[in-house]
Each structure stands twice: as structure tokens, then as C-alpha cells.
Amino acid sequence: LETTVMSISYNYSFNNQGIRRGFYLGAGLSSVKTEIVDNILITQASESGTGLLLRGGYEYQTDNNLLLDIGFNMHTAEQDLKYDYKGKYEDIEGSTTTSLSNFGISLSYIF
């Protein structure tokens, strides 16, 4: 299973502790594509969806321009992924509805 996500969002920072220090909330759009690779059990399948992105987290910029970002993203783009099981005597169809949320930690240097 492989998932590709592209998104654009706007964040509002509650940075009452200084520049780029504090919590943020954001919203935007995301495009999510889920693929199943052809294997011995399941045939190849692919489905895409576009939906709302909701995000939030905490950012902290140090005095030496390192930026620590800890956040959560919730993508409302749902896909109805249909695939076939490879059986010995017949193929069986299956489907699943998927949605995606992810938690991330990043450390960046700001030029």
C-alpha cells in the first residue's frame, strides 16, 4: 500500500511567546492518492480523493535559527478503493473506504 499526499494550507500561530514560538491551527486542501501494488494476493488498484485539511501543532524557533515543529494533520479526502483478491478458482472483489491522518515531527534550519 502506498499513499501520496499533496496539500496546501494556511496556519494561524498563537505565538505569544515570541516569533515562531507557540501553537498553531491551520486549514487547507489536500489531495490523497492511495495505490495497492499488484502482488500474489491482490490485483493492482488506485484511487484519489480531494478534501479539507485540518492541522495543528506546536512550533519553536531557537535563537540559532533551528525550527522544531510537532504537528498533526487530518485529511478528510476519502477514497473508495476497489480491488480483486486472486483466488485459486475465482476472483473475489473487495473494497475499502480510507481516510488519512498523520503525526509529524520536523527539525529545520531557517536561512
Side-chain angles (χ1 to χ4, degrees):
L1 189 64
E2 181 179 310
T3 303
T4 305
V5 178
M6 292 189 314
S7 61
I8 185 167
S9 66
Y10 176 80
N11 296 334
Y12 179 79
S13 296
F14 301 93
N15 49 7
N16 53 359
Q17 300 174 355
I19 297 174
R20 301 206 71 159
R21 291 184 181 166
F23 291 96
Y24 64 87
L25 291 175
L29 292 173
S30 64
S31 174
V32 180
K33 182 177 181 181
T34 305
E35 295 179 286
I36 296 177
V37 179
D38 191 28
N39 57 50
I40 61 171
L41 297 176
I42 299 174
T43 59
Q44 181 177 352
S46 177
E47 184 69 27
S48 297
T50 302
L52 184 65
L53 165 66
L54 301 173
R55 58 191 322 253
Y58 182 80
E59 61 184 1
Y60 184 84
Q61 182 179 346
T62 64
D63 293 334
N64 58 358
N65 289 339
L66 289 177
L67 177 66
L68 174 65
D69 185 347
I70 300 171
F72 180 78
N73 297 316
M74 184 175 74
H75 307 272
T76 62
E78 292 187 354
Q79 303 98 32
D80 187 22
L81 191 61
K82 297 182 186 330
Y83 51 87
D84 293 329
Y85 287 107
K86 295 178 181 176
K88 186 173 185 178
Y89 301 106
E90 62 181 293
D91 289 339
I92 302 170
E93 292 182 1
S95 69
T96 184
T97 301
T98 60
S99 60
L100 177 70
S101 296
N102 62 311
F103 174 77
I105 298 175
S106 68
L107 183 63
S108 306
Y109 181 79
I110 299 176
F111 293 96

